[in-house]
Each structure stands twice: as C-alpha cells, then as structure tokens.
Amino acid sequence: MTESEYIPPYRRVLSQAAIRTLLVAQFFMFLVFVPYMPNWFVLVFVFAVFWRWRVIHGQLKKPPVWLVLSMIVAGIAGIVASGFSRYSLDTAVAFCLLGYLLKSLEVLRRRDGIFQVYLGFFLSGVYLLYRFDPLGALLLVFLVLSNLLALQAVTSEGHFRLRYALKQSTVLMIGAVPIMVAGYLFFPRLPPLWNIPNDERGAQTGMSDEMRPGSVAELAQSNEPAFRVSFNGERPPRDQWYWRGNTMSVFDGETWRARYTARNPFAWPRNIDLPVAEGSRYDYTVIQEKSGQRWMYFLDWPVQIDGADRRILPDARAAQIRPINNVYRYQAVSSDRVSWSEETGAQRLDLALPQTGNEALRAWANERYQEAGSDWAFVERLLTEIREQDFYYTLRPPLYRGEDSIEAFWLGERRGFCEHYASAMAFMLRAVGIPSRIVGGYLGGTYVPGGDYIQVRQREAHAWVEVWIDSEWHRVDPTAVVSPNRIEMNLDELFMGSQPEELSVGARLGRATLVNQMIMYWDNLNYQWQVLVLDYDNNQAIGWFTSAFGEFSPLKAVLALLSVMGGLSLAFGLWLGLIPIPKVQKEPYRSLNKIERLYGGRGQGETLHQYAQRLAGQYPHHQALGPLLQQIEQCIYDPETDLDRYELRHLWQTLQQERKQDSSLV
Amino acid sequence: MIGRFRKRVRKNLDQWVEKRLPQQNDITLNQSRIFIVPTRQGLVLLIIAVLVLLLAINFESALNYALAFWLMAMLWMAVHLTYRNLSGLTLTAQSGTLVEVGDVSELTLALSSTQARSRGVLECIHPVWGAIAVDLHEHEQVVTIPVPAEQRGPVMPPRFRIESRYPFGLIVAWSYVSINVKGWAYPKAVRQDRQAVSASGDEDESTLNDHFYKEGSEDFHGLRTYQPGDPIRRLHWPGFSRDQLLVKSFTDYQATDETIDWEQFPGLSTDSRLAAIAWYCQKFVEQGRPFGVVLPNAEIPVGKGEDHLMRVRRQLAEFGYD
C-alpha cells in the first residue's frame, strides 16, 4: 500500500463511470427542454458530448480558455439572434441551459460534477413551469432519478454500481415522499415576490380580448382543453351551456375589442355590482387551464365569483390582475335570468361605430328597422333573414377584409362562422341605435360522468351577441338560427355529420369510440390531477391542523414537523435495519431465563434436574419452583408435550406470591 | 486570542473524544460512536431546494413546492442511509507486520458486521497516511493501514477517523477509532564490538566456549596450518610429530561465537545493545551461519535462516514491552 496524501472529496478526479453517467443525465435533461429551445442547441449538446468523449478517452485536461470564451460568446449571440432578447423567463432558461451544456466542457473534478447535477435539479424545477400535467410530473420523477444516479456516480469514489445506485436512489426518493407531502400540504402559498414575464410559457391561448374575423374559427381547430366545470348540484340544460369569456364592445370596422383590456389592469374599475339572480342558480367550480390571459370563464350570467385578486368588470366579466399562467380554480354562481343594475352611460358607448364603412349594410339595416317597427321585431327580422336566405355555416369561410368586410359577408358571400354572424348582427343593431355587444366564449362541452364534470375544449369556441332592450341585456345567438344543431352538439359532432373535412385530424380521430373513451379517461385523470394536486389550497390542510391541535402557530407547526420526522425516522430505522428489534424469547426458555435471573444461573454442566433439586434445597418455601422447573424440563426435552400456558402462568403467580411472603418475612 | 481559544477547544474536544471512545481490540460502531452532519455539498442542496421554492412562489407553480420539499427531505433521508453505512460495523484488530525502525509497518483490521449489507466506500483518514478507501460491498473486508515505525517497540495506529459519505455525499458520518492493533519495529542494526564473555564461570578455559568441543568434535572438518592464536588443544599432535604445525579445524558454522549475548555489549544502553545484536544477527544470516541469542529475559536457541532471523527480530522488538 502506498502512502497517499489526503485529497478532499471535492477535488477528486471523476471516474469514467461518473462522467458517463453524468452525460446520460445531461442528455435527458436536455431532451425535455428541446421543444422550448432554439434548434441549434442540439449542436451545442453534440459538441459537449464530443468533448466528454475526448475526456473519457484520456484527454483529462480543461479546455483552453479561448475555446470556452468563444463558445460562450457564440452561445450568447445565438440566443439573442434566436429572438430571446427580452428580459423574460425563456431567455433566462435559455442562458441557464447554455451554461448547463457548456459547463460540461470542464467537468473533471467532483465539485464540477456536483454542480452539474445540482443545476440539473434546478432545471427540473424550471421544467415544471412549462409542464405540470401528470405526464410532466412523471418526467420530473424520472429526471430527479437520473440526476440522483449521476450524483451517486460522481460521489462513488470510482465504485459505481448501477443496481446499488438505483436501489439507494429509489430508497432516498421514496423515503423523502412523506416530508414532501407534509411540506406541500402545509407550506403557505405565498404571493409572487417579483414578476418575470415569460413568452413560451405564457403563450396566450383561448379567447383573447379582441376578435378579428377568423380568430374564433382558428381557435376552433384546437383540441386543447380550455377549462373544466363541475356543478355542485344540478347542471343547467345542454342548450344553456354558454360559457362566457370576453365581452367586446369596441368596434373599429374590422376588430371587436374589450373595453377593459389586459394592457392596463390597474385602470379596471373596482367594486362593481353584478346582476342579481332571478332565475335558477347554478353553483359551480371552474378549473381553468393556463391561458396566459387574465380572463376567466363562467356560465352565462355570473352573479357571484370568489377570489381576492379577481375583479368583476362592468361588462359582466371577471378578470384576474395577474395573467393566468397556471391552472386556476375558482367558484362561481350563475343564473339563467338576472336583473341588471343600471349601468349609466355604458349603453351609450355600446352604440359606437366607425364613421365610415359598410354603408350599404347600414342602409339595409335602417330600411328593415323601419319596416319592423320595434327593437324586438328588428332582431327577429334579422334572424329570419339568416333562416330564409342561403346563409351557410362553415369553419372555413372566405376572408372578408377591409372597411366593408361585414357588408361583403352579409350581402355577398353569406358563408361564415359564428363570429361573422355575431359581428354582422351587432353591427346592424348598433347601426339602428340598439346597444349591442359581442360575447366571446365557448358553447357546449362534454360531460365526463367518471369525474362528474363538463370538459370544454378550445374547439368549442363561440361568439354571440348581447343586445340591450327593455333595460336588460339579452343573449341573441345567430348561430342558433343558421345551424340550430350547434346549440345541442359540439362542433366536432356537428361537422362530423355534414362537413368532416373541415375538422382537424385530431378532432376527427377523437370521434372514434375507443379513442374517444381513452381521451375521456385521460382527461378525467388530468382533471383529478388539477383538483387534487395543482390547485390544492392549503387552507384545507390548515383546517385539519386547526381541528386537531387548535390555533395554528409557527411553533406548533415546527413541533408537528419534528414529531412527524421523528416518527418517520423511527420507521425508517426499523425498515433499514438501523434499530435492531429485540427478539422476544419463546416459552419455556423465557421462564427458564427469568428463573435464572431471579435465583442465579446454573453452574457449568448442571442439568435442569440438578438445578431444580439445588433450588429446592436452597429455597424450601418456594413450593411452586419445583413444578415450574419440572414443566420447563418436560417441555424442552419431550417434544411430545405441549406447553400448558395456563398452568405455567398459574405456577408463576403462585411463585410470585411465595416470593412476596418470603420478602415480607425477612 | 482566537487561535488560543481554538487550541483550547481543540484540546478539550480531543480529551472528550479520548474519554468517550477508548482504545479497544474490537469496536462496533453504534449510535454512541457515530457522529453525523450534512456536508457542504448537502447544505448546497438545501440552497438549491430554496431556489426551487422561490420558483414555486414566484411562478405559482404547485409542483415546484413539491420538488423543493422533496429535495429537502432527500437530505434528511440521506442521513439515514449514510448512518446505516457505519452502524453495526465491527472493526477487529488482526495483525501487524514486523519492520525495522524507520520503515512502514502494515497494520491489518477486519471490517465486518452481523447484518450483511452493502456499505459503500468507507475511508480511514489520518494525516499520517492520508485516506484509505475500503469498498464494503456485501462482504467483509480487510483494511491495511501503513504506519511508519518511529522507534523500536510496538507500532500502533493513531486514533484515526473512519468516515462514510456514501451514497450521495450529502451527509458525512464518522467515528474516531482507536484500535489496539500492533505491529512491531526492531532496532536498526548498528555495529558494536563484541567482547568475549565466559560462560558459566569456567575461568581456566581459554576458549570462548567449551561445549563446542563436546559437540563439535563429531563434525571434524579437516586440518589446516596453525595460525598464531589457535588454541593449543586443537593442535594436531600426529602432524606435530612430523614437524607440521597443524590444527584440527572444524566447520565454520560450528564456530564458538554462535551465541550473541546481551552481555557481550557491556557499557551500552539497552537500545544500543539491541541494535548491536540486530547487526550481528543480520551479519550471521548473510554469511549463512547459525546463531542463537541470549537476552536477559529470553534465550533463543541456535538456528538459521530467515524465519529464525524474524523470530529474533521480533524478540528484539518486543524487548522491554512484555
């Protein structure tokens, strides 16, 4: 054995197995981020792999400084050139990943390896910002495992065994689960400390607060879920499944916009009265997918919505100050009939139209209004027009552009999607002086019996009109006239019958029964995941805590945590064999041991019989001793005899009494 | 000031350890002997967990809360796994080698345990020998510790640190082990002049030892010419009658000086005497001559060869340490 100098662990050189395992972990880490990063990152990764390969084959040297510097400069230039120039999460992640890849050029010592693994843990957390569905969580478990394996390889002093490492890592991960759950349940959910804008993660989906021609049809091509609703109690009838998203009341000739936009949430009015419920009330919970927007969805018409950072806007919308970058759950109450509070001045604004454009349509509308005589008659007249003329409902309408786009639709092609009908109708109502606005949202959904909720996908996107007549907003849906089945059916069901070619492949595939069932199962799983995990509200856990231990206080929480940890430690100690369990001796050896303890042990070579005789001589008053020993002897040497437990206990009791008398005599 | 304070703390700590973990022939590590704390690496993992928690708070990411606590709990869980590596481990003193002073004696310990379990890599650490790694994978292991022999006598390992950072390096568990395993160091050979001593008071004999004649007469080797100083008894009288001065010569190994005696080095210190004996022993072995050794407390009968030499050396090493 040679005398060796003590090298602190952090400075030890990594073994080949460690470098290889690190490389594998890095590969998985990199792989999950590929969809979110520019493609040329693959080149960086290939270069890193090449360098590692060199290291494995004997080039145990740090890369030259010029190489590292030029890689860093090239990487930063590449990131900026790829459009990640703004201060945002994606940019930060891109830099982080670049560092993660380039760091591997100089991983030679344990310290570097550990750094790499820890960065991997952190990046796993970052990955959860992009994906938080059950599959993402599974991937996370896998990523943590591979990083733990790498950590074990790095710290294994050159004795890396995959089986052993797998076992240890699994034990570590499973053993850590109870504390993880406790922390997850009880750690208070704090508000964000600072704000980092993000692009990819915050990519906006769902109804936006403006509606261009064609935007709803575009949305209707998507199979993504938008939100899920579960009713506490009765569900409204199917034809009432109008899910309100946005109210758009500003029109510029082409695009409808919301009056209160996402750009300046601080200008939103506060403390607005919502309509008061007059019809049947529906109490429900919505779980909204991340949309990157501020609008929340609810059944028409909302009368109540919970949440502190949620605002009710005067145009019957609810919005959150911060964008919805996560799955959110909220409770709301709606009613099918409401009485509207007098909104002074608002209705006047809902008459505004551009000065010019669609002149022929304005004239056409005014003419019909004169004929109709009343507001309601005019609305009816418009619907009849749609019903009687050859209007056609399609997902792929021609593009109507320019100042006279509405006219081109209504008086020209007459092929359009819900947004075209709604837009044209609202325009004509305004043209004749009836306040009206467009509501963007969703119509329909799929009831999932397994989870007792209604799933609404993006493809259920819809737009309709609200009209102010008799001091009340009324819903008017022109789609119900042009395609009456749309109210009862989802879009894919509707088009599957008549125009399947207009649907996306995914939607068509989803119509197959088996696939449909599987999709529903998966959706249910997602729903449960969202309810139980993502949108977990720790008030509930604190509720349990309070009911069990009284008022919540940090001291109590710490004590509870410590006692949980203590209990778990004990359990793990037993499980891992750290705490030996004392073996209970079987009868009759236990009794024999006890006698030997009380009366002194047997001498060397002394048989049980001799022992009994000796004790009988020494302790004549202890009558029970003889029979007791006799029974023990019999039991040990005669396998035929069964132990008479009752007798044994009786003899012991007698002996105890005799001993007591003995000691009292003394 | 701080340095002095630290020194005092250090000293108190050493004393405490000395009292708490006394020297033993075999040591089983248990909760009263194992110390355990997170390593720097483990603390950095905590920092990473806090960063992940920040992610969770700032991006309202529910799963990151779970990940953050998972990482923290892993550190806690690693305490059990690392503790498990040392717990129940028995170190048993086995043997030590015999070396010359100044050389390195190899002391052997057996690491075993009643429960068969993989314990990963343990390290025996001391500034004297650095770190010795032992891979304890599902079976017993023998660890050899090199300890330089600085003086004649027993070579004992200093109190050393046995530590485990397995399996993830997050936690370090260690114990200080002072184990009663001994190697021996025999003195470095130093040449001294031997002085004749007469055995058992036969003063009139001029030869060093008279029993040579009784025994050695059997192994008559031949005749050689007389040299001044040859004992008169060995004269070959028949040859003398032919005017040849011959002496009966006996084989070399039957030389009279076969016993190296403690008393042959009067006036020297104990260690010098032992060093001198070592020198003569070495010489004898080099020349292939048999020899015996007489020490005040022991007498090693005549013999030859390496084994004999080792026995003698062992005796020299142990002299005064019985």
mmCIF file with all atom_site columns, all heavy atoms in Angstrom, chain A residues 116-129:
data_model
loop_
_atom_site.group_PDB
_atom_site.id
_atom_site.type_symbol
_atom_site.label_atom_id
_atom_site.label_alt_id
_atom_site.label_comp_id
_atom_site.label_asym_id
_atom_site.label_entity_id
_atom_site.label_seq_id
_atom_site.pdbx_PDB_ins_code
_atom_site.Cartn_x
_atom_site.Cartn_y
_atom_site.Cartn_z
_atom_site.occupancy
_atom_site.B_iso_or_equiv
_atom_site.pdbx_formal_charge
_atom_site.auth_seq_id
_atom_site.auth_comp_id
_atom_site.auth_asym_id
_atom_site.auth_atom_id
_atom_site.pdbx_PDB_model_num
ATOM 1   N N   . GLN A 1 116 ? -22.976 20.305 -11.696 1.00 0.00 ? 116 GLN A N   1
ATOM 2   C CA  . GLN A 1 116 ? -23.770 19.911 -12.863 1.00 0.00 ? 116 GLN A CA  1
ATOM 3   C C   . GLN A 1 116 ? -25.082 19.242 -12.432 1.00 0.00 ? 116 GLN A C   1
ATOM 4   O O   . GLN A 1 116 ? -26.161 19.556 -12.934 1.00 0.00 ? 116 GLN A O   1
ATOM 5   C CB  . GLN A 1 116 ? -22.936 18.934 -13.688 1.00 0.00 ? 116 GLN A CB  1
ATOM 6   C CG  . GLN A 1 116 ? -23.521 18.577 -15.022 1.00 0.00 ? 116 GLN A CG  1
ATOM 7   C CD  . GLN A 1 116 ? -22.970 19.466 -16.108 1.00 0.00 ? 116 GLN A CD  1
ATOM 8   O OE1 . GLN A 1 116 ? -22.008 20.185 -15.887 1.00 0.00 ? 116 GLN A OE1 1
ATOM 9   N NE2 . GLN A 1 116 ? -23.577 19.442 -17.257 1.00 0.00 ? 116 GLN A NE2 1
ATOM 10  N N   . VAL A 1 117 ? -24.968 18.341 -11.469 1.00 0.00 ? 117 VAL A N   1
ATOM 11  C CA  . VAL A 1 117 ? -26.170 17.623 -11.005 1.00 0.00 ? 117 VAL A CA  1
ATOM 12  C C   . VAL A 1 117 ? -27.148 18.588 -10.337 1.00 0.00 ? 117 VAL A C   1
ATOM 13  O O   . VAL A 1 117 ? -28.354 18.536 -10.576 1.00 0.00 ? 117 VAL A O   1
ATOM 14  C CB  . VAL A 1 117 ? -25.765 16.510 -10.014 1.00 0.00 ? 117 VAL A CB  1
ATOM 15  C CG1 . VAL A 1 117 ? -26.990 15.930 -9.346  1.00 0.00 ? 117 VAL A CG1 1
ATOM 16  C CG2 . VAL A 1 117 ? -24.993 15.424 -10.738 1.00 0.00 ? 117 VAL A CG2 1
ATOM 17  N N   . TYR A 1 118 ? -26.613 19.504 -9.536  1.00 0.00 ? 118 TYR A N   1
ATOM 18  C CA  . TYR A 1 118 ? -27.494 20.444 -8.825  1.00 0.00 ? 118 TYR A CA  1
ATOM 19  C C   . TYR A 1 118 ? -28.198 21.365 -9.820  1.00 0.00 ? 118 TYR A C   1
ATOM 20  O O   . TYR A 1 118 ? -29.367 21.686 -9.656  1.00 0.00 ? 118 TYR A O   1
ATOM 21  C CB  . TYR A 1 118 ? -26.695 21.246 -7.806  1.00 0.00 ? 118 TYR A CB  1
ATOM 22  C CG  . TYR A 1 118 ? -26.408 20.470 -6.542  1.00 0.00 ? 118 TYR A CG  1
ATOM 23  C CD1 . TYR A 1 118 ? -26.731 19.120 -6.458  1.00 0.00 ? 118 TYR A CD1 1
ATOM 24  C CD2 . TYR A 1 118 ? -25.845 21.066 -5.440  1.00 0.00 ? 118 TYR A CD2 1
ATOM 25  C CE1 . TYR A 1 118 ? -26.478 18.398 -5.310  1.00 0.00 ? 118 TYR A CE1 1
ATOM 26  C CE2 . TYR A 1 118 ? -25.595 20.354 -4.281  1.00 0.00 ? 118 TYR A CE2 1
ATOM 27  C CZ  . TYR A 1 118 ? -25.909 19.022 -4.231  1.00 0.00 ? 118 TYR A CZ  1
ATOM 28  O OH  . TYR A 1 118 ? -25.663 18.317 -3.081  1.00 0.00 ? 118 TYR A OH  1
ATOM 29  N N   . LEU A 1 119 ? -27.449 21.773 -10.820 1.00 0.00 ? 119 LEU A N   1
ATOM 30  C CA  . LEU A 1 119 ? -28.080 22.579 -11.865 1.00 0.00 ? 119 LEU A CA  1
ATOM 31  C C   . LEU A 1 119 ? -29.192 21.773 -12.523 1.00 0.00 ? 119 LEU A C   1
ATOM 32  O O   . LEU A 1 119 ? -30.243 22.309 -12.894 1.00 0.00 ? 119 LEU A O   1
ATOM 33  C CB  . LEU A 1 119 ? -27.026 22.988 -12.892 1.00 0.00 ? 119 LEU A CB  1
ATOM 34  C CG  . LEU A 1 119 ? -27.319 24.218 -13.734 1.00 0.00 ? 119 LEU A CG  1
ATOM 35  C CD1 . LEU A 1 119 ? -27.664 25.387 -12.851 1.00 0.00 ? 119 LEU A CD1 1
ATOM 36  C CD2 . LEU A 1 119 ? -26.145 24.554 -14.609 1.00 0.00 ? 119 LEU A CD2 1
ATOM 37  N N   . GLY A 1 120 ? -28.944 20.469 -12.645 1.00 0.00 ? 120 GLY A N   1
ATOM 38  C CA  . GLY A 1 120 ? -29.972 19.576 -13.198 1.00 0.00 ? 120 GLY A CA  1
ATOM 39  C C   . GLY A 1 120 ? -31.225 19.583 -12.341 1.00 0.00 ? 120 GLY A C   1
ATOM 40  O O   . GLY A 1 120 ? -32.335 19.656 -12.859 1.00 0.00 ? 120 GLY A O   1
ATOM 41  N N   . PHE A 1 121 ? -31.062 19.543 -11.009 1.00 0.00 ? 121 PHE A N   1
ATOM 42  C CA  . PHE A 1 121 ? -32.230 19.601 -10.110 1.00 0.00 ? 121 PHE A CA  1
ATOM 43  C C   . PHE A 1 121 ? -33.003 20.895 -10.339 1.00 0.00 ? 121 PHE A C   1
ATOM 44  O O   . PHE A 1 121 ? -34.223 20.906 -10.429 1.00 0.00 ? 121 PHE A O   1
ATOM 45  C CB  . PHE A 1 121 ? -31.790 19.540 -8.643  1.00 0.00 ? 121 PHE A CB  1
ATOM 46  C CG  . PHE A 1 121 ? -31.420 18.158 -8.179  1.00 0.00 ? 121 PHE A CG  1
ATOM 47  C CD1 . PHE A 1 121 ? -30.309 17.950 -7.390  1.00 0.00 ? 121 PHE A CD1 1
ATOM 48  C CD2 . PHE A 1 121 ? -32.195 17.067 -8.521  1.00 0.00 ? 121 PHE A CD2 1
ATOM 49  C CE1 . PHE A 1 121 ? -29.973 16.691 -6.957  1.00 0.00 ? 121 PHE A CE1 1
ATOM 50  C CE2 . PHE A 1 121 ? -31.874 15.801 -8.083  1.00 0.00 ? 121 PHE A CE2 1
ATOM 51  C CZ  . PHE A 1 121 ? -30.754 15.612 -7.312  1.00 0.00 ? 121 PHE A CZ  1
ATOM 52  N N   . PHE A 1 122 ? -32.246 21.978 -10.423 1.00 0.00 ? 122 PHE A N   1
ATOM 53  C CA  . PHE A 1 122 ? -32.895 23.268 -10.586 1.00 0.00 ? 122 PHE A CA  1
ATOM 54  C C   . PHE A 1 122 ? -33.646 23.328 -11.919 1.00 0.00 ? 122 PHE A C   1
ATOM 55  O O   . PHE A 1 122 ? -34.789 23.782 -11.996 1.00 0.00 ? 122 PHE A O   1
ATOM 56  C CB  . PHE A 1 122 ? -31.862 24.387 -10.498 1.00 0.00 ? 122 PHE A CB  1
ATOM 57  C CG  . PHE A 1 122 ? -32.454 25.754 -10.598 1.00 0.00 ? 122 PHE A CG  1
ATOM 58  C CD1 . PHE A 1 122 ? -33.174 26.284 -9.547  1.00 0.00 ? 122 PHE A CD1 1
ATOM 59  C CD2 . PHE A 1 122 ? -32.325 26.497 -11.756 1.00 0.00 ? 122 PHE A CD2 1
ATOM 60  C CE1 . PHE A 1 122 ? -33.747 27.536 -9.641  1.00 0.00 ? 122 PHE A CE1 1
ATOM 61  C CE2 . PHE A 1 122 ? -32.886 27.754 -11.853 1.00 0.00 ? 122 PHE A CE2 1
ATOM 62  C CZ  . PHE A 1 122 ? -33.598 28.272 -10.790 1.00 0.00 ? 122 PHE A CZ  1
ATOM 63  N N   . LEU A 1 123 ? -32.980 22.829 -12.959 1.00 0.00 ? 123 LEU A N   1
ATOM 64  C CA  . LEU A 1 123 ? -33.624 22.851 -14.283 1.00 0.00 ? 123 LEU A CA  1
ATOM 65  C C   . LEU A 1 123 ? -34.864 21.963 -14.299 1.00 0.00 ? 123 LEU A C   1
ATOM 66  O O   . LEU A 1 123 ? -35.821 22.245 -15.018 1.00 0.00 ? 123 LEU A O   1
ATOM 67  C CB  . LEU A 1 123 ? -32.633 22.397 -15.357 1.00 0.00 ? 123 LEU A CB  1
ATOM 68  C CG  . LEU A 1 123 ? -31.647 23.473 -15.800 1.00 0.00 ? 123 LEU A CG  1
ATOM 69  C CD1 . LEU A 1 123 ? -30.594 22.889 -16.704 1.00 0.00 ? 123 LEU A CD1 1
ATOM 70  C CD2 . LEU A 1 123 ? -32.364 24.602 -16.497 1.00 0.00 ? 123 LEU A CD2 1
ATOM 71  N N   . SER A 1 124 ? -34.845 20.883 -13.500 1.00 0.00 ? 124 SER A N   1
ATOM 72  C CA  . SER A 1 124 ? -36.053 20.051 -13.399 1.00 0.00 ? 124 SER A CA  1
ATOM 73  C C   . SER A 1 124 ? -37.198 20.896 -12.865 1.00 0.00 ? 124 SER A C   1
ATOM 74  O O   . SER A 1 124 ? -38.340 20.778 -13.320 1.00 0.00 ? 124 SER A O   1
ATOM 75  C CB  . SER A 1 124 ? -35.839 18.865 -12.461 1.00 0.00 ? 124 SER A CB  1
ATOM 76  O OG  . SER A 1 124 ? -34.657 18.206 -12.759 1.00 0.00 ? 124 SER A OG  1
ATOM 77  N N   . GLY A 1 125 ? -36.867 21.757 -11.878 1.00 0.00 ? 125 GLY A N   1
ATOM 78  C CA  . GLY A 1 125 ? -37.888 22.660 -11.347 1.00 0.00 ? 125 GLY A CA  1
ATOM 79  C C   . GLY A 1 125 ? -38.373 23.615 -12.416 1.00 0.00 ? 125 GLY A C   1
ATOM 80  O O   . GLY A 1 125 ? -39.564 23.882 -12.552 1.00 0.00 ? 125 GLY A O   1
ATOM 81  N N   . VAL A 1 126 ? -37.420 24.122 -13.200 1.00 0.00 ? 126 VAL A N   1
ATOM 82  C CA  . VAL A 1 126 ? -37.794 25.052 -14.271 1.00 0.00 ? 126 VAL A CA  1
ATOM 83  C C   . VAL A 1 126 ? -38.708 24.351 -15.280 1.00 0.00 ? 126 VAL A C   1
ATOM 84  O O   . VAL A 1 126 ? -39.674 24.924 -15.772 1.00 0.00 ? 126 VAL A O   1
ATOM 85  C CB  . VAL A 1 126 ? -36.526 25.584 -14.969 1.00 0.00 ? 126 VAL A CB  1
ATOM 86  C CG1 . VAL A 1 126 ? -36.887 26.361 -16.225 1.00 0.00 ? 126 VAL A CG1 1
ATOM 87  C CG2 . VAL A 1 126 ? -35.738 26.459 -14.015 1.00 0.00 ? 126 VAL A CG2 1
ATOM 88  N N   . TYR A 1 127 ? -38.408 23.081 -15.510 1.00 0.00 ? 127 TYR A N   1
ATOM 89  C CA  . TYR A 1 127 ? -39.228 22.323 -16.472 1.00 0.00 ? 127 TYR A CA  1
ATOM 90  C C   . TYR A 1 127 ? -40.686 22.276 -16.018 1.00 0.00 ? 127 TYR A C   1
ATOM 91  O O   . TYR A 1 127 ? -41.604 22.281 -16.831 1.00 0.00 ? 127 TYR A O   1
ATOM 92  C CB  . TYR A 1 127 ? -38.657 20.908 -16.609 1.00 0.00 ? 127 TYR A CB  1
ATOM 93  C CG  . TYR A 1 127 ? -39.416 20.052 -17.577 1.00 0.00 ? 127 TYR A CG  1
ATOM 94  C CD1 . TYR A 1 127 ? -39.448 20.385 -18.927 1.00 0.00 ? 127 TYR A CD1 1
ATOM 95  C CD2 . TYR A 1 127 ? -40.107 18.931 -17.156 1.00 0.00 ? 127 TYR A CD2 1
ATOM 96  C CE1 . TYR A 1 127 ? -40.152 19.616 -19.829 1.00 0.00 ? 127 TYR A CE1 1
ATOM 97  C CE2 . TYR A 1 127 ? -40.809 18.152 -18.049 1.00 0.00 ? 127 TYR A CE2 1
ATOM 98  C CZ  . TYR A 1 127 ? -40.832 18.497 -19.381 1.00 0.00 ? 127 TYR A CZ  1
ATOM 99  O OH  . TYR A 1 127 ? -41.534 17.742 -20.257 1.00 0.00 ? 127 TYR A OH  1
ATOM 100 N N   . LEU A 1 128 ? -40.886 22.265 -14.708 1.00 0.00 ? 128 LEU A N   1
ATOM 101 C CA  . LEU A 1 128 ? -42.250 22.217 -14.179 1.00 0.00 ? 128 LEU A CA  1
ATOM 102 C C   . LEU A 1 128 ? -43.028 23.498 -14.469 1.00 0.00 ? 128 LEU A C   1
ATOM 103 O O   . LEU A 1 128 ? -44.243 23.526 -14.338 1.00 0.00 ? 128 LEU A O   1
ATOM 104 C CB  . LEU A 1 128 ? -42.224 21.990 -12.670 1.00 0.00 ? 128 LEU A CB  1
ATOM 105 C CG  . LEU A 1 128 ? -41.776 20.607 -12.236 1.00 0.00 ? 128 LEU A CG  1
ATOM 106 C CD1 . LEU A 1 128 ? -41.771 20.511 -10.737 1.00 0.00 ? 128 LEU A CD1 1
ATOM 107 C CD2 . LEU A 1 128 ? -42.709 19.563 -12.811 1.00 0.00 ? 128 LEU A CD2 1
ATOM 108 N N   . LEU A 1 129 ? -42.303 24.561 -14.826 1.00 0.00 ? 129 LEU A N   1
ATOM 109 C CA  . LEU A 1 129 ? -43.011 25.785 -15.197 1.00 0.00 ? 129 LEU A CA  1
ATOM 110 C C   . LEU A 1 129 ? -43.629 25.630 -16.580 1.00 0.00 ? 129 LEU A C   1
ATOM 111 O O   . LEU A 1 129 ? -44.592 26.291 -16.917 1.00 0.00 ? 129 LEU A O   1
ATOM 112 C CB  . LEU A 1 129 ? -42.056 26.977 -15.196 1.00 0.00 ? 129 LEU A CB  1
ATOM 113 C CG  . LEU A 1 129 ? -41.346 27.261 -13.880 1.00 0.00 ? 129 LEU A CG  1
ATOM 114 C CD1 . LEU A 1 129 ? -40.461 28.474 -14.038 1.00 0.00 ? 129 LEU A CD1 1
ATOM 115 C CD2 . LEU A 1 129 ? -42.351 27.482 -12.785 1.00 0.00 ? 129 LEU A CD2 1
#
